[in-house]
Amino acid sequence: MSAQHAASSENDTKNDVNMEKKMRDFELPGRSLAMSRNGMAATSHPASTLAAIDVLRSGGNAMDAAIAACAVQCVVEPGSTGIGGDCFALYAPRGAAASIVAFDGAGWTPQAMTIGALRSRGVTSLERQSPHVVTVPGAVDAWCRLAADHGTMPLADLLAPAATLAEEGYAVTPRVAADWAQTEALLATHRGSFDTMLIDGKSPRAGSVHRQPALAATLREIGARGKDAFYRGDIASSMVECLRELGGLHTLDDFAQFSGEYVKPISTEFRGYRVHECPASGQGVIALLILNILRGFDADRDPLSADRLHREIEATRLAYSVRDAVLCDPRSGDVPVEAMLSEAFARSLRNQIDLTTRIDALPGYVPARHDDTVYICVVDKDRNCVSFINSIFNAFGSTIMDPRTGVMFHNRGQSFTLDEGHPNCIGARRRPMHTIIPGIVSRDDKVQMTFGVMGGHYQAMGHAHFLSKVLDYGLDMQAAISLPRVFPRPGADEVEAEHTLAPTVRATLASRGFEFVAPKSAIGGAQAISIDWDRGVLLGASDHRKDGCALGY
């Protein structure tokens, strides 16, 4: 569907996230919205979506389904996520916006982690494969807490499908294989990763069968004993030993004392809807800031016009410069959320955008590049709504795997800075600035959509870009997801642009000072589910850039 034909030209079709605005052209490549009545799940891997639907059909609720789906993805999409990573979630019981709860499952650094300790070891930068960028993984704690507080099924039952796939083997899908191949050389540098994640020294090709027996055993142990199985005892001891052998500062206490936390969601108004995000240390506030900047502009008729993309690119650059200056663990520094979300602040940034030229270089440190995450959304028959995201940061994280437990450690600590005057400076028991952000949209105290965007740093722009296309231009969710993407990477002068962006638009923006480069792969991914409350129908969308799908029953 072309952007021009996908956009609605009628006022009465604006601001409606539930309905298709125009019938898509079935002669063109693309996907239809998935539709169902009882339950819906959307993920970036078909086995994960199927696991969620199986849970819903067996009587589990949306939280049960999301956890089961995520566990499966930790097996079948190991470059994007794992139990050695972190997790954030938004949950709206029975679709009530006033009842939305947020969970921050970001791990912390070891107690011994100080600038002095790093300097004494000769550390002058935070490198991807260093044990010093491995924070205590927060995902398992998040799953256990969320399952106990909001689920209905035993954790062992939720993790069983993932354990079976890890033990018996699963077929590697095409996008997973492509991402795997890009990390082959790094996986070969660590014995645990080499032995488990490569086959005869090579990354698995699409259609290969891959197994992770050690991870299967760890998943079953977590299912049987819960959080303590991972953060205390033999599994924790093995992980700590693995990291310390590489020079890490981790201790058993760092694992045993870790706990994620429930936090108060933050939100802003956009086109008559309220957009909800998790607070810092995640970058949800930056997605809201971009929306606040964009709401001061009227939408033209073309969602991919040069003027519109100019405004989106500049709004993103401005908002990310704020992110890189102030976003941090709120326990160790002040994050001025109220000021950041004020209309006065949005106006001050908006007024800097000039459609004749690109803004000069903006301040801000350069965060580590990464592109890998999985996002899951589920709505059940009772309209419990889950927006769920899990990540190990880079593809295969640090590429450090504990061979005895099958845990691949993330490298989330690369988002810290070593600048002692910076609020996001690395330190003892600190959580880094986080890129992974689940989202929910509500109206009149009812959830209208649960949505999320993958792609590392892109996610904040991705949230704003996606919602603007739906709410400003009247695109249905699938059409909005399918549009070409651009992204001005933080700390870089270039703008990544997918090759599907119209050459005329690219040329116009280039004449204004924007330099375009090709991304190393398709930019991000997305899933979304909306609720048609009047007709009792669920609508789901899933990104063609990944292997997954939206399914309902």
Side-chain angles (χ1 to χ4, degrees):
M1 181 187 297
S2 71
Q4 290 85 350
H5 289 126
S8 169
S9 60
E10 300 294 333
N11 290 336
D12 61 1
T13 63
K14 294 287 186 71
N15 296 338
D16 181 353
V17 301
N18 295 324
M19 300 301 296
E20 280 194 285
K21 306 304 182 294
K22 289 182 179 294
M23 184 71 70
R24 76 177 181 87
D25 186 342
F26 293 105
E27 294 183 16
L28 293 176
R31 298 182 177 186
S32 297
L33 288 166
M35 297 186 180
S36 68
R37 295 186 62 200
N38 292 320
M40 177 78 71
T43 86
S44 57
H45 197 285
S48 176
T49 302
L50 183 60
I53 294 298
D54 285 345
V55 167
L56 294 179
R57 296 187 72 170
S58 67
N61 70 6
M63 185 60 76
D64 297 322
I67 293 168
C70 189
V72 165
Q73 281 187 285
C74 288
V75 176
V76 300
E77 202 172 339
S80 297
T81 196
I83 63 174
D86 287 344
C87 173
F88 287 73
L90 293 171
Y91 178 63
R94 295 187 176 273
S99 301
I100 294 175
V101 296
F103 193 86
D104 181 332
W108 62 22
T109 52
Q111 181 65 46
M113 178 65 73
T114 65
I115 291 291
L118 292 178
R119 285 177 176 165
S120 70
R121 288 163 170 76
V123 176
T124 58
S125 61
L126 296 170
E127 300 298 329
R128 175 178 174 181
Q129 292 184 292
S130 165
H132 303 309
V133 301
V134 179
T135 57
V136 172
V140 170
D141 171 75
W143 299 1
C144 294
R145 294 277 296 282
L146 292 167
D149 295 344
H150 304 291
T152 64
M153 294 176 61
L155 187 63
D157 292 348
L158 302 181
L159 303 189
T164 298
L165 285 166
E167 184 172 65
E168 297 182 359
Y170 56 93
V172 176
T173 51
R175 176 59 197 269
V176 170
D179 293 342
W180 212 319
Q182 291 188 23
T183 319
E184 181 179 285
L186 290 177
L187 291 169
T189 63
H190 189 273
R191 174 52 59 184
S193 299
F194 180 90
D195 290 343
T196 303
M197 306 314 295
L198 301 180
I199 300 174
D200 296 327
K202 301 291 184 181
S203 64
R205 302 306 189 246
S208 299
V209 176
H210 185 254
R211 296 175 178 83
Q212 300 179 62
L215 178 60
T218 296
L219 287 168
R220 289 199 173 96
E221 189 69 11
I222 295 168
R225 297 201 301 115
K227 174 184 175 178
D228 282 352
F230 187 81
Y231 295 95
R232 300 172 183 268
D234 292 343
I235 292 174
S237 295
S238 182
M239 290 190 291
V240 169
E241 182 179 347
C242 175
L243 292 167
R244 291 188 71 88
E245 285 176 351
L246 297 172
L249 300 168
H250 308 74
T251 68
L252 289 174
D253 282 346
D254 292 322
F255 278 74
Q257 295 172 15
F258 172 76
S259 181
E261 61 179 331
Y262 285 101
V263 290
K264 184 179 180 180
I266 57 176
S267 65
T268 197
E269 185 276 337
F270 187 76
R271 309 304 189 220
Y273 288 82
R274 185 145 290 274
V275 183
H276 306 262
E277 301 273 358
C278 291
S281 56
Q283 64 173 340
V285 65
I286 303 304
L288 301 182
L289 175 56
I290 298 172
L291 288 171
N292 284 352
I293 296 171
L294 293 179
R295 75 184 177 198
F297 297 116
D298 292 332
D300 54 30
R301 291 181 60 84
D302 182 357
L304 290 178
S305 71
D307 285 355
R308 183 61 187 188
L309 291 181
H310 185 130
R311 291 184 173 112
E312 289 187 13
I313 290 168
E314 295 292 61
T316 298
R317 293 180 65 228
L318 289 161
Y320 278 53
S321 72
V322 176
R323 182 196 75 164
D324 295 343
V326 304
L327 205 59
C328 66
D329 185 343
R331 302 174 308 160
S332 58
D334 177 47
V335 182
V337 174
E338 185 175 352
M340 291 170 70
L341 295 183
S342 69
E343 174 54 28
F345 186 58
R347 188 185 310 114
S348 71
L349 298 179
R350 188 185 306 129
N351 289 342
Q352 298 181 48
I353 299 175
D354 179 353
L355 287 181
T356 67
T357 187
R358 171 186 178 273
I359 299 171
D360 287 339
L362 298 165
Y365 82 99
V366 182
R369 172 173 177 153
H370 86 105
D371 307 278
D372 299 282
T373 297
V374 298
Y375 172 77
I376 295 161
C377 49
V378 185
V379 178
D380 64 29
K381 61 181 175 59
D382 296 318
R383 299 311 184 241
N384 298 305
C385 303
V386 175
S387 189
F388 198 98
I389 198 159
N390 213 94
S391 176
I392 55 173
F393 207 38
N394 276 106
F396 295 95
S398 64
T399 70
I400 299 171
M401 171 175 276
D402 174 19
R404 290 158 291 194
T405 64
V407 175
M408 180 76 74
F409 295 109
H410 63 175
N411 59 317
R412 183 59 63 175
Q414 269 197 287
S415 284
F416 283 118
T417 175
L418 294 177
D419 179 359
E420 290 187 82
H422 196 284
N424 190 40
C425 180
I426 199 167
R429 295 279 170 91
R430 289 187 180 178
R431 302 174 300 190
M433 183 276 288
H434 247 277
T435 57
I436 60 175
I437 49 174
I440 283 180
V441 176
S442 69
R443 191 177 195 180
D444 300 328
D445 197 36
K446 287 185 176 180
V447 170
Q448 301 296 319
M449 181 198 297
T450 175
F451 77 101
V453 175
M454 299 162 281
H457 294 291
Y458 173 70
Q459 289 177 53
M461 182 187 189
H463 277 214
H465 171 87
F466 169 72
L467 290 181
S468 174
K469 297 302 176 273
V470 173
L471 299 179
D472 274 328
Y473 291 92
L475 274 65
D476 70 55
M477 299 180 299
Q478 192 64 59
I481 286 172
S482 298
L483 290 178
R485 290 179 181 155
V486 299
F487 180 48
R489 279 202 173 271
D493 290 332
E494 301 86 6
V495 178
E496 291 187 349
E498 294 181 332
H499 69 80
T500 49
L501 182 66
T504 54
V505 172
R506 189 187 299 253
T508 299
L509 290 171
S511 72
R512 300 176 186 178
F514 294 102
E515 179 184 351
F516 289 99
V517 296
K520 67 175 184 179
S521 58
I523 298 174
Q527 277 83 236
I529 298 172
S530 67
I531 305 173
D532 184 333
W533 290 95
D534 293 335
R535 300 195 297 181
V537 172
L538 302 173
L539 298 91
S542 184
D543 206 316
H544 67 275
R545 296 168 179 84
K546 301 287 186 176
D547 296 316
C549 58
L551 287 177
Y553 80 102

